[in-house]
Amino acid sequence: MLKRVIQFFKGVLAKGPDKEEQNTINDLLSPEAQQAFYQMTVADQRHTLNVMKTAVEIAEKQGVAGSFDMDFLKRCCLLHDIGRGPKMNSIRKSYGVLLDKFFHGWSLENSQKPSDSYFKDIMYRYYNHPEIGCSELMKLGMIHEADIILRHHSGKDEELLAHEQAVLRILMEADRLN
Ligand SMILES: [Fe+2]
Ligand SMILES: [Fe+2]
């Protein structure tokens, strides 16, 4: 619970990318992918930047940084939550957590498709953002990133290549820590 409270305030107080981070984003992402990044809330932009930093640290600590495409890992980190969309601020995220915990059945039932209802829309994004993000990246031709992002909560990695499995594991660990 304390973790959630801290997360809430981190989200409220979050700042967007600084100059150096903007340059990194420029180097890593196409203009279309940058658009997908910047449509997220500032809180989610900060979250994904933090996930990227942690992921690089994990890869370096594991000694795998030289053995696979670090730019690919960084792109996956920056884009992993684009499916949350432009409205998932700290308040909506908190509703998502609470509805998932205390109204789980209702939430599952009412999260199957986009909705004009405030709470149903939150739960649609909350549960389906990996699929939504995946299909957005497929449209941009980022097929490999899409495949990782699709699995960033389920962790189902049976069909992935070994280096993709390693990327997914590091992304999920970095996400958990942020
Ligand atoms: Fe996510
Ligand atoms: Fe995340």
Side-chain angles (χ1 to χ4, degrees):
M1 189 61 197
L2 184 63
K3 195 181 158 205
R4 291 290 184 196
V5 175
I6 292 168
Q7 255 174 359
F8 178 83
F9 284 106
K10 266 167 104 179
V12 171
L13 301 170
K15 288 200 170 67
D18 62 24
K19 201 85 214 121
E20 198 186 326
E21 290 168 332
Q22 285 173 21
N23 290 337
T24 306
I25 292 163
N26 257 324
D27 291 343
L28 288 167
L29 303 180
S30 69
E32 295 80 12
Q34 284 183 44
Q35 240 174 21
F37 175 84
Y38 284 111
Q39 58 84 40
M40 287 188 293
T41 61
V42 168
D44 278 340
Q45 290 175 29
R46 176 50 50 205
H47 164 67
T48 56
L49 283 161
N50 290 344
V51 169
M52 180 176 74
K53 272 181 216 154
T54 306
V56 170
E57 285 166 15
I58 295 171
E60 282 168 356
K61 214 180 280 174
Q62 289 181 354
V64 294
S67 66
F68 61 72
D69 185 349
M70 285 297 282
D71 284 354
F72 177 63
L73 172 66
K74 290 179 191 172
R75 279 196 301 276
C76 289
C77 292
L78 287 176
L79 299 170
H80 78 278
D81 278 334
I82 58 166
R84 281 180 180 170
K87 290 193 281 189
M88 193 58 96
N89 58 24
S90 295
I91 294 180
R92 281 176 177 250
K93 227 173 279 173
S94 302
Y95 278 135
V97 171
L98 292 172
L99 288 169
D100 177 53
K101 198 166 167 61
F102 297 111
F103 297 93
H104 192 66
W106 179 91
S107 297
L108 282 182
E109 245 168 67
N110 290 285
S111 61
Q112 310 299 326
K113 51 185 186 339
S115 170
D116 291 334
S117 144
Y118 181 80
F119 291 113
K120 288 179 187 175
D121 187 56
I122 290 173
M123 295 324 285
Y124 169 66
R125 292 278 178 176
Y126 189 87
Y127 289 133
N128 300 301
H129 73 272
E131 288 79 7
I132 299 167
C134 170
S135 76
E136 284 176 20
L137 291 178
M138 294 285 272
K139 283 184 212 149
L140 301 183
M142 299 176 76
I143 299 162
H144 298 287
E145 288 84 353
D147 208 11
I148 301 287
I149 270 90
L150 176 67
R151 303 156 194 272
H152 84 269
H153 281 283
S154 72
K156 286 184 185 154
D157 66 354
E158 301 82 14
E159 295 140 20
L160 295 178
L161 302 170
H163 75 276
E164 291 173 333
Q165 289 177 342
V167 167
L168 178 64
R169 269 198 302 274
I170 293 173
L171 166 63
M172 289 179 72
E173 175 66 4
D175 198 17
R176 199 181 59 77
L177 295 169
N178 285 280

